[in-house]
Amino acid sequence: MDRRDFFKRAGRRVNTSTKKKTTRPEFAGLAPYAGSWTVNEVTHLLKRTMFGAKKADVDHFLSLSPADAVDELLNTTSVPSPPLRDYGLLEDDGELYDDLGVAIGQTWVNDPNTASAAEIRGQINSRRNDSLKKWWAGLIINQQRSIQEKMVLFWHHHFSIQQSEIDNAAFLYRHHNLLRTNALGNFKTLVREVTIDPAMLVHLNGFLNSRQAPDENYARELQELFAIGKGNDSQYTENDVIAAARVLTGWRINENPLASYLDTGAHDIGAKSFSAFYNNTTISGSTDPNQELDALMDMLFNTTEAARFICRKLYKWFVYYEIDDATETDVIIPMAELLRTNNYDVKPALEVLFKSEHFFDAINQACYIKNPYDIIVGTLREFNVNFPPYTNYTTGYPLFFSIFRNAADMQQELFQPPDVSGWPSYYQEPMHYELWVNSNSLPKRADFTDALVNDAVIDVRTFAAYSTNPANPDQLIDDVTALLLRYPLSANSKNYVKRNFLLNNTPDDTVWTNAWNSNNNPVINTSLNEMFKFLMNLPEFHLC
């Protein structure tokens, strides 16, 4: 779909030059939004900050002011109970074994998995990894009216650890819990804790870093991907990477109880000097496990680029992948200044973004291609498919695992982003979000939504009844497409849908009206099934 066509319909001027800096929103800055507050604006806010926009949620937030709606989304958080053992006996060479460390229905997150046989330890770890994925998918499908789940996924993208590299369920849970606990907290604190997190120490070889053989892997990614970025103003040097690696020498992992610690014998206690980009800072050597680490964080986050870097990433995740000159000047820079003023607390920066004219500008609506969790969880939630609580490990975990597998098939696998940079849709030029839709993933998206209808997972009849007048085919189509589609269908497209799916290829509206009013179930169900399958296969359905 041509996004410029949308701009024209929205009444925006578009720069059609071939330069990268192509568009300037009418509302370029972060002035508080003072426009209309309708289903359109509420749905835009909810689909960007949550997975899907249920009608009940839309109605709830319509009753609030825009500012109060954002406050609720940013302030409603919860601390979930940990994942549970949902598996029974294990088998190795024909013999059955039990996970003696934890009973079925109890959490395994603090058990060190000390089975005597390596094969059994591996099987236990594998089953725990699976229960962790089910648990997380269960939290996403059972999300509250909060940005929390989308923020946790954002941080997973940002730090991008991979199960294939770590392969330890306890490490993965601890890392995930760190992201969840700090999802709307302090960015500087989160980077510090992730730096010495056991999962990250394994993932980027930090646990191998020693004064005898400094490993630069994490020190490089810390600056390039996690804290400073690769922008034009990110002028740290190769020597800065080497010096940061020396600061981080000696961090090791204790598995029981799970924690990281500084091995002072492997730590380089010499002075570490940095470039002019870091104001020629020198970090003195110390055997105090906090002193050099804190000094390194202070140095990194004393740069203007650290704040701008994370604000750009947040913008690409929640608003749009292109940041033109006007957006950099009028959105990113003031948002970053606010972040620094608040000592890198993330919530105030997000608050000003989501309450801004810029966020609600029509130019920033319906321009974001849904990721797999937006498609899967968003669709299930919008059709009010009931799921057990995330704590239900008997009937709930298998259903949650199906969500995980479907998303993985569509190229968004939890605990396994493609590489250390996360999912390419949020950074890979020039395609960005369009990478979610390709010859491999698009048929799987269609198969998924078709199956929801064919297998009666979603109740299309109930969804149609949301319409203010479902017996009127025009009103029905207007109402259901307003809930499902962020990009409006043209009048010709609506007429096509009406004639082909509701009127039995006739021009007579009474065909549908009579069927609905007489409760003609065969006609109603067949018509709605085919209509909703068609709507969910439209390009417009993939936009939010």
Side-chain angles (χ1 to χ4, degrees):
M1 181 178 299
D2 185 357
R3 187 168 179 256
R4 287 175 178 161
D5 181 56
F6 174 75
F7 298 153
K8 293 174 184 176
R9 295 187 190 194
R12 299 288 185 264
R13 292 185 177 181
V14 180
N15 179 349
T16 57
S17 73
T18 58
K19 295 181 180 180
K20 178 181 177 183
K21 313 305 182 186
T22 56
T23 61
R24 181 185 176 94
E26 180 178 326
F27 304 113
L30 293 175
Y33 178 66
S36 301
W37 188 239
T38 68
V39 169
N40 175 68
E41 289 76 34
V42 173
T43 304
H44 171 62
L45 175 64
L46 296 187
K47 289 201 177 190
R48 294 299 179 86
T49 56
M50 299 175 64
F51 295 96
K54 297 173 64 171
K55 187 176 186 301
D57 292 341
V58 173
D59 291 343
H60 169 76
F61 286 104
L62 268 174
S63 70
L64 306 178
S65 69
D68 288 344
V70 172
D71 288 343
E72 180 168 335
L73 288 165
L74 293 176
N75 291 327
T76 306
T77 58
S78 62
V79 180
S81 57
L84 306 174
R85 174 184 171 183
D86 64 321
Y87 51 89
L89 295 176
L90 309 167
E91 183 177 351
D92 182 55
D93 290 335
E95 293 189 50
L96 295 177
Y97 296 87
D98 196 6
D99 181 352
L100 298 177
V102 58
I104 295 176
Q106 300 300 309
T107 187
W108 46 262
V109 299
N110 296 315
D111 180 76
N113 185 12
T114 56
S116 57
E119 293 82 0
I120 299 302
R121 287 199 303 275
Q123 288 194 42
I124 291 172
N125 184 62
S126 177
R127 298 293 185 89
R128 291 179 178 184
N129 278 330
D130 286 346
S131 77
L132 179 60
K133 298 166 186 174
K134 299 167 189 175
W135 171 80
W136 189 0
L139 283 167
I140 294 174
I141 192 65
N142 283 291
Q143 67 194 265
Q144 299 177 346
R145 287 171 177 160
S146 167
I147 197 176
Q148 186 174 27
E149 294 307 323
K150 216 148 205 183
M151 280 303 299
V152 174
L153 193 61
F154 167 77
W155 290 123
H156 181 42
H157 158 72
H158 180 71
F159 292 108
S160 193
I161 65 166
Q162 298 168 306
Q163 178 189 330
S164 60
E165 296 291 331
I166 299 165
D167 197 29
N168 185 303
F171 287 21
L172 291 172
Y173 170 75
R174 189 183 193 278
H175 177 85
H176 174 94
N177 193 51
L178 180 60
L179 304 185
R180 180 171 292 279
T181 303
N182 292 277
L184 287 167
N186 189 280
F187 178 49
K188 179 180 176 182
T189 299
L190 182 56
V191 172
R192 183 197 188 282
E193 295 307 309
V194 166
T195 296
I196 57 172
D197 176 59
M200 186 60 78
L201 287 172
V202 172
H203 189 232
L204 290 177
N205 300 334
F207 77 112
L208 299 174
N209 190 11
S210 67
R211 62 182 178 82
Q212 296 89 351
D215 189 301
E216 299 167 12
N217 199 4
Y218 181 77
R220 187 177 307 281
E221 307 303 7
L222 170 63
Q223 294 171 83
E224 182 174 311
L225 298 177
F226 301 155
I228 304 297
K230 296 183 285 187
N232 294 333
D233 296 324
S234 301
Q235 296 177 7
Y236 58 86
T237 68
E238 185 65 20
N239 285 336
D240 291 331
V241 173
I242 295 170
R246 292 177 57 213
V247 169
L248 297 172
T249 51
W251 282 97
R252 300 293 182 259
I253 301 166
N254 182 7
E255 294 194 31
N256 188 18
L258 180 57
S260 57
Y261 66 95
L262 183 67
D263 178 356
T264 57
H267 178 60
D268 183 340
I269 59 172
K272 294 89 177 174
S273 298
F274 292 84
S275 71
F277 176 73
Y278 292 119
N279 295 317
N280 299 307
T281 296
T282 296
I283 295 178
S284 301
S286 172
T287 56
D288 181 337
N290 297 312
Q291 184 170 316
E292 288 193 59
L293 181 60
D294 289 342
L296 178 63
M297 294 298 122
D298 289 342
M299 182 190 76
L300 292 172
F301 288 94
N302 195 38
T303 64
T304 58
E305 192 59 19
R308 293 178 185 181
F309 163 67
I310 195 61
C311 286
R312 292 184 196 112
K313 290 199 74 170
L314 288 165
Y315 184 92
K316 290 182 177 182
W317 184 265
F318 287 109
V319 184
Y320 189 55
Y321 61 73
E322 181 181 284
I323 298 176
D324 62 18
D325 291 338
T327 304
E328 178 72 16
T329 300
D330 298 331
V331 177
I332 300 301
I333 291 176
M335 186 178 166
E337 290 173 353
L338 180 65
L339 184 67
R340 293 190 72 189
T341 298
N342 286 277
N343 194 32
Y344 285 91
D345 282 344
V346 170
K347 187 185 293 185
L350 289 175
E351 180 180 350
V352 75
L353 176 65
F354 294 139
K355 291 182 178 180
S356 71
E357 294 275 15
H358 181 85
F359 179 77
F360 287 102
D361 193 328
I363 205 172
N364 290 321
Q365 297 186 36
C367 60
Y368 181 117
I369 294 178
K370 295 176 181 177
N371 66 41
Y373 275 90
D374 285 318
I375 285 286
I376 295 167
V377 175
T379 303
L380 291 169
R381 292 186 70 252
E382 287 171 2
F383 279 94
N384 274 316
V385 179
N386 290 321
F387 279 83
Y390 77 92
T391 53
N392 187 321
Y393 66 92
T394 54
T395 58
Y397 273 27
L399 296 174
F400 307 151
F401 205 39
S402 70
I403 292 173
F404 167 84
R405 287 196 302 265
N406 275 293
D409 286 343
M410 297 178 197
Q411 302 178 345
Q412 192 171 31
E413 183 175 355
L414 300 180
F415 296 109
Q416 196 61 43
D419 56 45
V420 73
S421 298
W423 285 289
S425 297
Y426 301 103
Y427 67 84
Q428 188 66 61
E429 296 181 347
M431 299 291 287
H432 289 95
Y433 307 153
E434 295 172 30
L435 293 170
W436 287 128
V437 180
N438 53 56
S439 59
N440 178 40
S441 64
L442 188 58
K444 292 174 180 176
R445 289 178 174 223
D447 289 345
F448 174 77
T449 54
D450 284 354
L452 293 181
V453 176
N454 293 335
D455 298 339
V457 175
I458 61 178
D459 186 343
V460 295
R461 183 80 170 267
T462 298
F463 195 85
Y466 286 147
S467 172
T468 55
N469 185 7
N472 180 318
D474 292 310
Q475 190 66 54
L476 172 63
I477 292 170
D478 283 346
D479 290 342
V480 299
T481 56
L483 288 170
L484 282 181
L485 308 180
R486 290 295 301 127
Y487 190 97
L489 287 184
S490 67
N492 286 339
S493 295
K494 288 181 178 180
N495 284 332
Y496 175 87
V497 172
K498 180 175 74 169
R499 185 179 185 118
N500 282 270
F501 300 109
L502 300 182
L503 307 185
N504 196 25
N505 288 309
T506 74
D508 185 2
D509 285 7
T510 63
V511 170
W512 174 255
T513 301
N514 292 337
W516 184 271
N517 287 337
S518 64
N519 200 29
N520 189 333
N521 289 326
V523 171
I524 294 172
N525 293 338
T526 299
S527 298
L528 292 180
N529 283 348
E530 296 307 309
M531 183 184 77
F532 278 104
K533 283 195 292 185
F534 177 80
L535 290 175
M536 290 189 289
N537 277 278
L538 290 174
E540 289 88 343
F541 182 70
H542 298 270
L543 296 175
C544 75

